[in-house]
Amino acid sequence: MARHSGGRGWYGKVIGAAVGVTMLATGASVWTAQAGDADDAGPEATAPAAPGGDVKKVSPTIAHASEAGKRGVNITIDDGPDPKWTPLMLDLLRQYDVKATFCMVGTQAEAHPDVVKKVVAAGHRLCDHTVSHNTAMDKDTEAYQSKQILDAERMITKASGGVRPMYYRAPGGAFTPYSRKLAASRGMRPLGWNVDTKDFERPGTDAIVATVERELPNGPTLLFHDAGGDRTQTVEALRRILPRLKEQGYTFGFPVR
């Protein structure tokens, strides 16, 4: 989710006490929704082996472009899975034959493995969105960042039945050179966004749709949410956006890796 406010975000506040463990390339350069998109120098990240076998390293630069090309659109959905809202969104995506990338919080994946498996079975991709959704994690230590990313990777992989996340999205865009390199060393391409629909703030379905139409020229990666509260507006906005974009000649794909 976007960095709507400082601090640890709603997951950090609600779940933080239960997650004490967390204490311890192709893309358009003009699409830079977050800072740190360059291949700047940083500490080399190393990580222990995780479920899923050999890992193919990917670029540590933040991805924005779509595998579907110049008229491609990437639907990305953050903060779940949620037992109520994620299945509704899966139904919509299936109805319009659209694949999406689900950026999952580790504790949510662990709590709802059946929903994670439904996401995978439907052909969507997984993204590591950390354990506790700390939107200020870029201010924390490298050890903390490592625990957040690697623990979430393991939690999501286990919940999915062995399918590893293909991307890493920092909560609120709180990337660091270290976190990007660490994620890339695990085969997870850092994932940005171009259009923040602000659906998390529940501005109204019309406002969410208008934001997509106004900001889509900025780039192809759209940010939605399937957890963190009532997502009725998001579901209804997707119900309008998906067929409308298809009618306008857009195709839906996955972010580049």
Side-chain angles (χ1 to χ4, degrees):
M1 90 184 213
R3 198 193 298 252
H4 300 296
S5 61
R8 295 182 176 268
W10 70 273
Y11 274 104
K13 294 174 182 176
V14 175
I15 305 171
V19 194
V21 65
T22 62
M23 285 299 295
L24 302 172
T26 302
S29 61
V30 296
W31 292 344
T32 52
Q34 298 82 33
D37 199 25
D39 265 319
D40 47 353
E44 289 298 323
T46 58
D54 294 337
V55 174
K56 180 180 179 181
K57 294 183 180 180
V58 294
S59 171
T61 59
I62 299 174
H64 295 89
S66 176
E67 290 181 351
K70 292 182 178 180
R71 296 288 287 179
V73 172
N74 305 322
I75 301 296
T76 66
I77 302 174
D78 284 19
D79 294 3
D82 181 272
K84 177 177 180 178
W85 302 110
T86 306
L88 291 177
M89 293 183 190
L90 287 174
D91 288 344
L92 270 179
L93 294 167
R94 180 172 57 252
Q95 179 181 347
Y96 293 106
D97 192 25
V98 172
K99 302 303 180 188
T101 301
F102 285 80
C103 300
M104 297 185 173
V105 173
T107 50
Q108 290 293 104
E110 187 174 63
H112 307 291
D114 55 327
V115 183
V116 181
K117 291 180 175 66
K118 288 179 181 178
V119 169
V120 170
H124 305 291
R125 288 184 181 177
L126 302 178
C127 171
D128 180 331
H129 203 34
T130 74
V131 174
S132 59
H133 201 280
N134 179 357
T135 60
M137 66 180 287
D138 54 333
K139 305 297 191 296
D140 221 314
T141 66
E142 291 177 0
Y144 176 86
Q145 295 174 46
S146 178
K147 289 287 289 182
Q148 284 283 318
I149 295 167
L150 299 181
D151 284 357
E153 178 193 8
R154 285 189 283 268
M155 295 162 92
I156 295 166
T157 301
K158 181 178 179 181
S160 72
V163 178
R164 299 180 63 255
M166 298 177 70
Y167 307 92
Y168 164 65
R169 173 173 277 168
F175 290 100
T176 66
Y178 175 82
S179 68
R180 292 190 290 107
K181 289 178 179 288
L182 174 60
S185 76
R186 300 298 310 150
M188 298 183 291
R189 179 75 183 266
L191 176 59
W193 64 82
N194 307 106
V195 180
D196 181 359
T197 65
K198 302 294 179 69
D199 65 327
F200 191 84
E201 299 174 357
R202 287 181 278 182
T205 299
D206 290 345
I208 296 170
V209 173
T211 296
V212 171
E213 293 178 337
R214 181 179 65 252
E215 297 187 11
L216 186 56
N218 294 336
T221 303
L222 313 185
L223 172 61
F224 299 93
H225 297 84
D226 61 346
D230 188 332
R231 301 271 71 90
T232 300
Q233 293 178 8
T234 304
V235 172
E236 293 309 310
L238 283 170
R239 197 185 307 278
R240 288 160 55 178
I241 290 166
L242 298 180
R244 187 173 301 181
L245 291 181
K246 282 198 168 186
E247 290 169 2
Q248 294 173 0
Y250 290 97
T251 57
F252 294 91
F254 295 113
V256 295
R257 296 186 72 245

Short mmCIF file of all heavy atoms in Angstrom, two decimals, residues 105-171:
data_model
loop_
_atom_site.label_atom_id
_atom_site.label_comp_id
_atom_site.label_asym_id
_atom_site.label_seq_id
_atom_site.Cartn_x
_atom_site.Cartn_y
_atom_site.Cartn_z
N VAL A 105 0.90 -9.86 2.71
CA VAL A 105 1.54 -9.70 4.01
C VAL A 105 1.70 -11.10 4.62
O VAL A 105 0.77 -11.92 4.59
CB VAL A 105 0.68 -8.80 4.91
CG1 VAL A 105 1.22 -8.75 6.33
CG2 VAL A 105 0.61 -7.39 4.32
N GLY A 106 2.87 -11.37 5.17
CA GLY A 106 3.17 -12.71 5.65
C GLY A 106 2.19 -13.26 6.66
O GLY A 106 1.77 -14.42 6.57
N THR A 107 1.79 -12.43 7.62
CA THR A 107 0.86 -12.91 8.64
C THR A 107 -0.51 -13.22 8.05
O THR A 107 -1.19 -14.15 8.51
CB THR A 107 0.72 -11.87 9.76
OG1 THR A 107 0.45 -10.58 9.19
CG2 THR A 107 1.98 -11.79 10.60
N GLN A 108 -0.92 -12.48 7.04
CA GLN A 108 -2.19 -12.74 6.38
C GLN A 108 -2.13 -14.05 5.59
O GLN A 108 -3.09 -14.83 5.59
CB GLN A 108 -2.56 -11.58 5.46
CG GLN A 108 -2.95 -10.30 6.18
CD GLN A 108 -4.26 -10.46 6.94
OE1 GLN A 108 -4.24 -10.59 8.17
NE2 GLN A 108 -5.36 -10.46 6.23
N ALA A 109 -1.03 -14.26 4.90
CA ALA A 109 -0.86 -15.51 4.15
C ALA A 109 -0.87 -16.71 5.09
O ALA A 109 -1.50 -17.74 4.82
CB ALA A 109 0.44 -15.47 3.35
N GLU A 110 -0.19 -16.57 6.21
CA GLU A 110 -0.13 -17.65 7.19
C GLU A 110 -1.51 -17.94 7.77
O GLU A 110 -1.85 -19.09 8.03
CB GLU A 110 0.84 -17.26 8.30
CG GLU A 110 1.13 -18.36 9.30
CD GLU A 110 2.20 -17.95 10.28
OE1 GLU A 110 1.99 -16.98 11.05
OE2 GLU A 110 3.28 -18.59 10.29
N ALA A 111 -2.32 -16.90 7.96
CA ALA A 111 -3.64 -17.07 8.55
C ALA A 111 -4.66 -17.62 7.55
O ALA A 111 -5.65 -18.24 7.96
CB ALA A 111 -4.14 -15.73 9.10
N HIS A 112 -4.42 -17.42 6.26
CA HIS A 112 -5.41 -17.81 5.25
C HIS A 112 -4.76 -18.56 4.08
O HIS A 112 -4.83 -18.13 2.92
CB HIS A 112 -6.14 -16.56 4.72
CG HIS A 112 -6.72 -15.70 5.79
ND1 HIS A 112 -7.80 -16.10 6.56
CD2 HIS A 112 -6.36 -14.47 6.24
CE1 HIS A 112 -8.09 -15.14 7.43
NE2 HIS A 112 -7.24 -14.16 7.26
N PRO A 113 -4.13 -19.70 4.36
CA PRO A 113 -3.45 -20.43 3.29
C PRO A 113 -4.40 -20.93 2.20
O PRO A 113 -3.99 -21.07 1.05
CB PRO A 113 -2.79 -21.60 4.03
CG PRO A 113 -3.61 -21.77 5.28
CD PRO A 113 -4.02 -20.38 5.66
N ASP A 114 -5.65 -21.19 2.56
CA ASP A 114 -6.60 -21.63 1.54
C ASP A 114 -6.83 -20.56 0.49
O ASP A 114 -6.96 -20.86 -0.70
CB ASP A 114 -7.94 -22.01 2.20
CG ASP A 114 -8.52 -20.89 3.05
OD1 ASP A 114 -7.75 -20.12 3.65
OD2 ASP A 114 -9.76 -20.79 3.13
N VAL A 115 -6.83 -19.30 0.91
CA VAL A 115 -7.02 -18.21 -0.04
C VAL A 115 -5.77 -18.03 -0.90
O VAL A 115 -5.86 -17.78 -2.11
CB VAL A 115 -7.36 -16.90 0.68
CG1 VAL A 115 -7.64 -15.78 -0.32
CG2 VAL A 115 -8.57 -17.09 1.60
N VAL A 116 -4.60 -18.18 -0.29
CA VAL A 116 -3.35 -18.09 -1.06
C VAL A 116 -3.35 -19.15 -2.16
O VAL A 116 -3.00 -18.86 -3.32
CB VAL A 116 -2.12 -18.28 -0.15
CG1 VAL A 116 -0.83 -18.17 -0.97
CG2 VAL A 116 -2.12 -17.25 0.97
N LYS A 117 -3.75 -20.35 -1.82
CA LYS A 117 -3.78 -21.43 -2.81
C LYS A 117 -4.77 -21.14 -3.94
O LYS A 117 -4.54 -21.50 -5.10
CB LYS A 117 -4.10 -22.76 -2.13
CG LYS A 117 -2.97 -23.27 -1.22
CD LYS A 117 -3.34 -24.59 -0.56
CE LYS A 117 -2.18 -25.16 0.26
NZ LYS A 117 -1.85 -24.31 1.42
N LYS A 118 -5.89 -20.48 -3.62
CA LYS A 118 -6.85 -20.11 -4.66
C LYS A 118 -6.25 -19.08 -5.61
O LYS A 118 -6.48 -19.13 -6.83
CB LYS A 118 -8.12 -19.55 -4.01
CG LYS A 118 -8.99 -20.60 -3.33
CD LYS A 118 -10.22 -19.97 -2.69
CE LYS A 118 -11.08 -21.01 -1.99
NZ LYS A 118 -12.26 -20.39 -1.32
N VAL A 119 -5.49 -18.16 -5.07
CA VAL A 119 -4.83 -17.16 -5.91
C VAL A 119 -3.88 -17.83 -6.89
O VAL A 119 -3.87 -17.55 -8.09
CB VAL A 119 -4.07 -16.14 -5.03
CG1 VAL A 119 -3.16 -15.25 -5.88
CG2 VAL A 119 -5.05 -15.28 -4.24
N VAL A 120 -3.07 -18.75 -6.38
CA VAL A 120 -2.11 -19.47 -7.21
C VAL A 120 -2.82 -20.34 -8.25
O VAL A 120 -2.45 -20.36 -9.43
CB VAL A 120 -1.18 -20.32 -6.34
CG1 VAL A 120 -0.32 -21.25 -7.19
CG2 VAL A 120 -0.30 -19.41 -5.48
N ALA A 121 -3.86 -21.05 -7.82
CA ALA A 121 -4.58 -21.94 -8.72
C ALA A 121 -5.22 -21.19 -9.88
O ALA A 121 -5.39 -21.74 -10.97
CB ALA A 121 -5.65 -22.72 -7.96
N ALA A 122 -5.55 -19.92 -9.66
CA ALA A 122 -6.17 -19.11 -10.70
C ALA A 122 -5.15 -18.51 -11.66
O ALA A 122 -5.53 -17.81 -12.61
CB ALA A 122 -7.01 -18.01 -10.08
N GLY A 123 -3.87 -18.75 -11.43
CA GLY A 123 -2.84 -18.30 -12.36
C GLY A 123 -2.27 -16.92 -12.08
O GLY A 123 -1.58 -16.35 -12.93
N HIS A 124 -2.54 -16.39 -10.89
CA HIS A 124 -2.00 -15.09 -10.54
C HIS A 124 -0.61 -15.25 -9.92
O HIS A 124 -0.21 -16.35 -9.55
CB HIS A 124 -2.93 -14.38 -9.56
CG HIS A 124 -4.34 -14.27 -10.05
ND1 HIS A 124 -4.69 -13.44 -11.10
CD2 HIS A 124 -5.48 -14.90 -9.67
CE1 HIS A 124 -5.99 -13.55 -11.33
NE2 HIS A 124 -6.49 -14.44 -10.48
N ARG A 125 0.13 -14.15 -9.82
CA ARG A 125 1.47 -14.19 -9.25
C ARG A 125 1.47 -13.64 -7.83
O ARG A 125 0.63 -12.83 -7.47
CB ARG A 125 2.45 -13.39 -10.12
CG ARG A 125 2.76 -14.08 -11.44
CD ARG A 125 3.82 -13.31 -12.23
NE ARG A 125 4.11 -13.97 -13.50
CZ ARG A 125 4.94 -13.49 -14.42
NH1 ARG A 125 5.58 -12.34 -14.20
NH2 ARG A 125 5.15 -14.14 -15.55
N LEU A 126 2.48 -14.09 -7.06
CA LEU A 126 2.61 -13.69 -5.67
C LEU A 126 3.74 -12.68 -5.51
O LEU A 126 4.74 -12.72 -6.24
CB LEU A 126 2.89 -14.91 -4.80
CG LEU A 126 1.85 -16.03 -4.83
CD1 LEU A 126 2.31 -17.19 -3.95
CD2 LEU A 126 0.49 -15.53 -4.40
N CYS A 127 3.57 -11.82 -4.53
CA CYS A 127 4.55 -10.79 -4.23
C CYS A 127 4.71 -10.71 -2.71
O CYS A 127 3.72 -10.75 -1.97
CB CYS A 127 4.08 -9.45 -4.79
SG CYS A 127 5.05 -8.01 -4.29
N ASP A 128 5.93 -10.62 -2.26
CA ASP A 128 6.27 -10.49 -0.84
C ASP A 128 6.05 -9.03 -0.41
O ASP A 128 6.67 -8.11 -0.95
CB ASP A 128 7.75 -10.89 -0.68
CG ASP A 128 8.26 -10.82 0.76
OD1 ASP A 128 7.75 -10.01 1.55
OD2 ASP A 128 9.22 -11.57 1.06
N HIS A 129 5.16 -8.84 0.58
CA HIS A 129 4.84 -7.49 1.07
C HIS A 129 5.22 -7.36 2.55
O HIS A 129 4.61 -6.58 3.28
CB HIS A 129 3.36 -7.20 0.85
CG HIS A 129 3.00 -5.75 0.78
ND1 HIS A 129 3.82 -4.79 0.24
CD2 HIS A 129 1.87 -5.08 1.18
CE1 HIS A 129 3.23 -3.61 0.30
NE2 HIS A 129 2.06 -3.75 0.88
N THR A 130 6.21 -8.15 2.98
CA THR A 130 6.78 -8.19 4.33
C THR A 130 5.86 -8.87 5.34
O THR A 130 4.72 -9.20 5.03
CB THR A 130 7.20 -6.80 4.87
OG1 THR A 130 6.05 -6.04 5.24
CG2 THR A 130 8.04 -6.06 3.85
N VAL A 131 6.37 -9.03 6.54
CA VAL A 131 5.64 -9.72 7.60
C VAL A 131 4.57 -8.83 8.22
O VAL A 131 3.42 -9.23 8.40
CB VAL A 131 6.60 -10.22 8.70
CG1 VAL A 131 5.81 -10.81 9.86
CG2 VAL A 131 7.56 -11.27 8.14
N SER A 132 4.92 -7.60 8.55
CA SER A 132 4.02 -6.79 9.36
C SER A 132 3.68 -5.43 8.76
O SER A 132 3.10 -4.58 9.44
CB SER A 132 4.59 -6.59 10.77
OG SER A 132 5.85 -5.95 10.71
N HIS A 133 4.05 -5.20 7.51
CA HIS A 133 3.65 -3.99 6.80
C HIS A 133 4.08 -2.72 7.51
O HIS A 133 3.29 -1.80 7.74
CB HIS A 133 2.13 -3.99 6.58
CG HIS A 133 1.71 -3.09 5.45
ND1 HIS A 133 1.59 -1.73 5.59
CD2 HIS A 133 1.40 -3.36 4.17
CE1 HIS A 133 1.20 -1.19 4.44
NE2 HIS A 133 1.10 -2.17 3.55
N ASN A 134 5.35 -2.64 7.82
CA ASN A 134 5.92 -1.46 8.46
C ASN A 134 6.31 -0.46 7.38
O ASN A 134 7.31 -0.64 6.68
CB ASN A 134 7.14 -1.87 9.29
CG ASN A 134 7.81 -0.69 9.97
OD1 ASN A 134 7.43 0.46 9.80
ND2 ASN A 134 8.83 -0.99 10.75
N THR A 135 5.55 0.63 7.26
CA THR A 135 5.81 1.61 6.21
C THR A 135 7.02 2.50 6.51
O THR A 135 7.37 3.35 5.68
CB THR A 135 4.57 2.50 5.99
OG1 THR A 135 4.25 3.18 7.21
CG2 THR A 135 3.39 1.66 5.53
N ALA A 136 7.64 2.30 7.66
CA ALA A 136 8.85 3.04 8.00
C ALA A 136 10.06 2.11 8.10
O ALA A 136 11.07 2.46 8.70
CB ALA A 136 8.67 3.79 9.33
N MET A 137 9.97 0.93 7.47
CA MET A 137 11.05 -0.03 7.63
C MET A 137 12.35 0.42 6.96
O MET A 137 13.42 -0.10 7.28
CB MET A 137 10.63 -1.40 7.11
CG MET A 137 10.37 -1.49 5.62
SD MET A 137 9.89 -3.17 5.14
CE MET A 137 11.45 -4.05 5.28
N ASP A 138 12.28 1.39 6.06
CA ASP A 138 13.50 1.90 5.46
C ASP A 138 14.35 2.67 6.47
O ASP A 138 15.53 2.92 6.22
CB ASP A 138 13.18 2.79 4.26
CG ASP A 138 12.21 3.91 4.57
OD1 ASP A 138 11.39 3.76 5.50
OD2 ASP A 138 12.26 4.95 3.89
N LYS A 139 13.76 3.02 7.59
CA LYS A 139 14.50 3.71 8.66
C LYS A 139 15.08 2.72 9.67
O LYS A 139 15.79 3.12 10.59
CB LYS A 139 13.58 4.70 9.39
CG LYS A 139 12.89 5.71 8.50
CD LYS A 139 13.87 6.61 7.79
CE LYS A 139 13.18 7.79 7.11
NZ LYS A 139 12.27 7.38 6.04
N ASP A 140 14.75 1.45 9.52
CA ASP A 140 15.19 0.44 10.49
C ASP A 140 16.48 -0.22 10.01
O ASP A 140 16.98 0.05 8.92
CB ASP A 140 14.08 -0.59 10.70
CG ASP A 140 13.93 -1.00 12.15
OD1 ASP A 140 14.97 -1.27 12.80
OD2 ASP A 140 12.79 -1.04 12.65
N THR A 141 16.98 -1.14 10.82
CA THR A 141 18.27 -1.78 10.53
C THR A 141 18.16 -2.76 9.38
O THR A 141 17.07 -3.24 9.03
CB THR A 141 18.78 -2.53 11.77
OG1 THR A 141 17.88 -3.62 12.05
CG2 THR A 141 18.87 -1.61 12.98
N GLU A 142 19.30 -3.10 8.80
CA GLU A 142 19.33 -4.11 7.75
C GLU A 142 18.89 -5.46 8.29
O GLU A 142 18.22 -6.24 7.57
CB GLU A 142 20.72 -4.19 7.13
CG GLU A 142 21.08 -2.96 6.33
CD GLU A 142 22.49 -3.01 5.78
OE1 GLU A 142 23.20 -4.02 6.03
OE2 GLU A 142 22.89 -2.05 5.09
N ALA A 143 19.22 -5.77 9.53
CA ALA A 143 18.79 -7.04 10.13
C ALA A 143 17.27 -7.10 10.20
O ALA A 143 16.66 -8.13 9.91
CB ALA A 143 19.39 -7.20 11.52
N TYR A 144 16.64 -5.99 10.57
CA TYR A 144 15.18 -5.93 10.63
C TYR A 144 14.58 -6.09 9.24
O TYR A 144 13.63 -6.85 9.03
CB TYR A 144 14.75 -4.61 11.25
CG TYR A 144 13.24 -4.41 11.27
CD1 TYR A 144 12.47 -4.90 12.32
CD2 TYR A 144 12.58 -3.74 10.23
CE1 TYR A 144 11.09 -4.73 12.34
CE2 TYR A 144 11.21 -3.57 10.24
CZ TYR A 144 10.47 -4.06 11.30
OH TYR A 144 9.11 -3.91 11.31
N GLN A 145 15.12 -5.37 8.26
CA GLN A 145 14.62 -5.47 6.89
C GLN A 145 14.72 -6.91 6.39
O GLN A 145 13.80 -7.44 5.75
CB GLN A 145 15.40 -4.54 5.98
CG GLN A 145 15.22 -3.06 6.28
CD GLN A 145 16.13 -2.19 5.44
OE1 GLN A 145 16.25 -2.37 4.25
NE2 GLN A 145 16.80 -1.24 6.09
N SER A 146 15.84 -7.55 6.68
CA SER A 146 16.05 -8.93 6.25
C SER A 146 15.01 -9.87 6.84
O SER A 146 14.42 -10.70 6.14
CB SER A 146 17.46 -9.39 6.65
OG SER A 146 17.68 -10.73 6.28
N LYS A 147 14.74 -9.72 8.16
CA LYS A 147 13.74 -10.58 8.80
C LYS A 147 12.37 -10.36 8.18
O LYS A 147 11.62 -11.32 7.93
CB LYS A 147 13.69 -10.28 10.30
CG LYS A 147 14.90 -10.75 11.09
CD LYS A 147 14.92 -12.26 11.24
CE LYS A 147 13.84 -12.74 12.18
NZ LYS A 147 13.89 -14.22 12.37
N GLN A 148 12.00 -9.12 7.95
CA GLN A 148 10.69 -8.80 7.38
C GLN A 148 10.51 -9.45 6.00
O GLN A 148 9.46 -10.01 5.69
CB GLN A 148 10.52 -7.29 7.27
CG GLN A 148 10.22 -6.60 8.57
CD GLN A 148 8.78 -6.78 8.99
OE1 GLN A 148 7.85 -6.70 8.18
NE2 GLN A 148 8.56 -7.06 10.26
N ILE A 149 11.54 -9.36 5.18
CA ILE A 149 11.44 -9.86 3.80
C ILE A 149 11.54 -11.38 3.75
O ILE A 149 10.71 -12.05 3.12
CB ILE A 149 12.53 -9.22 2.93
CG1 ILE A 149 12.30 -7.70 2.82
CG2 ILE A 149 12.56 -9.86 1.54
CD1 ILE A 149 13.47 -6.93 2.25
N LEU A 150 12.55 -11.93 4.40
CA LEU A 150 12.78 -13.38 4.31
C LEU A 150 11.74 -14.19 5.06
O LEU A 150 11.32 -15.26 4.60
CB LEU A 150 14.19 -13.72 4.79
CG LEU A 150 15.33 -13.08 4.01
CD1 LEU A 150 16.67 -13.54 4.58
CD2 LEU A 150 15.24 -13.41 2.53
N ASP A 151 11.30 -13.71 6.22
CA ASP A 151 10.24 -14.43 6.93
C ASP A 151 8.95 -14.42 6.14
O ASP A 151 8.24 -15.42 6.08
CB ASP A 151 10.03 -13.82 8.32
CG ASP A 151 11.12 -14.20 9.31
OD1 ASP A 151 12.03 -14.98 8.93
OD2 ASP A 151 11.07 -13.73 10.46
N ALA A 152 8.62 -13.28 5.53
CA ALA A 152 7.40 -13.23 4.71
C ALA A 152 7.51 -14.15 3.50
O ALA A 152 6.55 -14.82 3.14
CB ALA A 152 7.14 -11.80 4.26
N GLU A 153 8.69 -14.20 2.90
CA GLU A 153 8.89 -15.11 1.77
C GLU A 153 8.60 -16.55 2.18
O GLU A 153 7.89 -17.29 1.47
CB GLU A 153 10.33 -15.00 1.25
CG GLU A 153 10.63 -15.95 0.09
CD GLU A 153 12.10 -16.07 -0.21
OE1 GLU A 153 12.92 -15.54 0.57
OE2 GLU A 153 12.43 -16.73 -1.21
N ARG A 154 9.11 -16.95 3.32
CA ARG A 154 8.87 -18.32 3.79
C ARG A 154 7.39 -18.55 4.12
O ARG A 154 6.84 -19.60 3.80
CB ARG A 154 9.76 -18.61 5.01
CG ARG A 154 11.22 -18.82 4.68
CD ARG A 154 12.00 -19.31 5.88
NE ARG A 154 12.27 -18.22 6.81
CZ ARG A 154 13.36 -17.48 6.79
NH1 ARG A 154 14.28 -17.68 5.86
NH2 ARG A 154 13.55 -16.52 7.69
N MET A 155 6.76 -17.58 4.76
CA MET A 155 5.36 -17.72 5.15
C MET A 155 4.46 -17.84 3.92
O MET A 155 3.54 -18.67 3.87
CB MET A 155 4.94 -16.53 6.01
CG MET A 155 5.65 -16.45 7.34
SD MET A 155 5.55 -14.80 8.11
CE MET A 155 4.08 -15.02 9.10
N ILE A 156 4.71 -17.01 2.92
CA ILE A 156 3.90 -17.04 1.70
C ILE A 156 4.14 -18.33 0.93
O ILE A 156 3.19 -18.96 0.43
CB ILE A 156 4.21 -15.81 0.83
CG1 ILE A 156 3.77 -14.53 1.55
CG2 ILE A 156 3.53 -15.91 -0.53
CD1 ILE A 156 4.33 -13.25 0.93
N THR A 157 5.40 -18.74 0.83
CA THR A 157 5.72 -19.97 0.11
C THR A 157 5.07 -21.18 0.77
O THR A 157 4.50 -22.05 0.08
CB THR A 157 7.25 -20.15 0.05
OG1 THR A 157 7.84 -19.04 -0.61
CG2 THR A 157 7.61 -21.43 -0.71
N LYS A 158 5.12 -21.23 2.08
CA LYS A 158 4.48 -22.34 2.79
C LYS A 158 2.97 -22.32 2.60
O LYS A 158 2.34 -23.36 2.33
CB LYS A 158 4.82 -22.28 4.27
CG LYS A 158 4.22 -23.41 5.10
CD LYS A 158 4.63 -23.33 6.56
CE LYS A 158 4.02 -24.46 7.38
NZ LYS A 158 4.40 -24.36 8.82
N ALA A 159 2.36 -21.14 2.72
CA ALA A 159 0.90 -21.03 2.58
C ALA A 159 0.44 -21.41 1.19
O ALA A 159 -0.65 -21.96 1.01
CB ALA A 159 0.45 -19.61 2.92
N SER A 160 1.26 -21.14 0.19
CA SER A 160 0.88 -21.41 -1.20
C SER A 160 1.04 -22.86 -1.58
O SER A 160 0.60 -23.28 -2.66
CB SER A 160 1.74 -20.56 -2.15
OG SER A 160 3.07 -21.05 -2.17
N GLY A 161 1.72 -23.62 -0.74
CA GLY A 161 2.00 -25.01 -1.07
C GLY A 161 3.29 -25.18 -1.85
O GLY A 161 3.50 -26.20 -2.51
N GLY A 162 4.16 -24.16 -1.76
CA GLY A 162 5.48 -24.28 -2.40
C GLY A 162 5.75 -23.30 -3.52
O GLY A 162 6.84 -23.34 -4.10
N VAL A 163 4.81 -22.44 -3.83
CA VAL A 163 5.01 -21.45 -4.89
C VAL A 163 5.61 -20.19 -4.27
O VAL A 163 5.03 -19.60 -3.36
CB VAL A 163 3.68 -21.10 -5.59
CG1 VAL A 163 3.90 -20.03 -6.66
CG2 VAL A 163 3.08 -22.35 -6.21
N ARG A 164 6.77 -19.78 -4.77
CA ARG A 164 7.48 -18.66 -4.19
C ARG A 164 7.01 -17.32 -4.76
O ARG A 164 6.59 -17.24 -5.91
CB ARG A 164 8.99 -18.79 -4.44
CG ARG A 164 9.60 -20.05 -3.83
CD ARG A 164 11.09 -20.14 -4.10
NE ARG A 164 11.79 -19.02 -3.48
CZ ARG A 164 12.27 -17.97 -4.14
NH1 ARG A 164 12.11 -17.89 -5.46
NH2 ARG A 164 12.90 -17.01 -3.50
N PRO A 165 7.10 -16.25 -3.99
CA PRO A 165 6.80 -14.91 -4.52
C PRO A 165 7.80 -14.54 -5.62
O PRO A 165 8.99 -14.85 -5.54
CB PRO A 165 6.97 -13.99 -3.31
CG PRO A 165 6.93 -14.87 -2.11
CD PRO A 165 7.47 -16.20 -2.55
N MET A 166 7.30 -13.86 -6.64
CA MET A 166 8.15 -13.45 -7.76
C MET A 166 8.56 -11.99 -7.67
O MET A 166 9.40 -11.53 -8.45
CB MET A 166 7.41 -13.70 -9.08
CG MET A 166 7.09 -15.17 -9.31
SD MET A 166 6.14 -15.47 -10.83
CE MET A 166 7.38 -15.11 -12.07
N TYR A 167 7.96 -11.26 -6.74
CA TYR A 167 8.24 -9.83 -6.59
C TYR A 167 8.34 -9.49 -5.11
O TYR A 167 7.89 -10.25 -4.24
CB TYR A 167 7.13 -8.98 -7.22
CG TYR A 167 6.80 -9.32 -8.64
CD1 TYR A 167 5.81 -10.25 -8.95
CD2 TYR A 167 7.49 -8.71 -9.70
CE1 TYR A 167 5.51 -10.56 -10.27
CE2 TYR A 167 7.19 -9.02 -11.02
CZ TYR A 167 6.20 -9.95 -11.30
OH TYR A 167 5.89 -10.26 -12.60
N TYR A 168 8.90 -8.32 -4.84
CA TYR A 168 8.92 -7.76 -3.49
C TYR A 168 8.45 -6.31 -3.57
O TYR A 168 9.02 -5.51 -4.32
CB TYR A 168 10.31 -7.81 -2.87
CG TYR A 168 10.44 -6.90 -1.67
CD1 TYR A 168 9.69 -7.15 -0.51
CD2 TYR A 168 11.28 -5.78 -1.69
CE1 TYR A 168 9.78 -6.30 0.59
CE2 TYR A 168 11.36 -4.94 -0.59
CZ TYR A 168 10.62 -5.20 0.54
OH TYR A 168 10.70 -4.36 1.63
N ARG A 169 7.42 -5.98 -2.82
CA ARG A 169 6.95 -4.58 -2.75
C ARG A 169 7.11 -4.10 -1.30
O ARG A 169 6.49 -4.66 -0.38
CB ARG A 169 5.51 -4.45 -3.21
CG ARG A 169 4.93 -3.05 -2.99
CD ARG A 169 3.55 -2.92 -3.62
NE ARG A 169 3.66 -2.63 -5.05
CZ ARG A 169 2.64 -2.69 -5.90
NH1 ARG A 169 1.43 -3.09 -5.48
NH2 ARG A 169 2.80 -2.40 -7.18
N ALA A 170 7.90 -3.07 -1.11
CA ALA A 170 8.08 -2.50 0.22
C ALA A 170 6.82 -1.77 0.64
O ALA A 170 6.23 -1.03 -0.15
CB ALA A 170 9.26 -1.54 0.21
N PRO A 171 6.37 -1.95 1.88
CA PRO A 171 5.20 -1.22 2.35
C PRO A 171 5.40 0.29 2.21
O PRO A 171 6.43 0.82 2.63
CB PRO A 171 5.10 -1.63 3.83
CG PRO A 171 5.80 -2.94 3.90
CD PRO A 171 6.91 -2.86 2.90
#
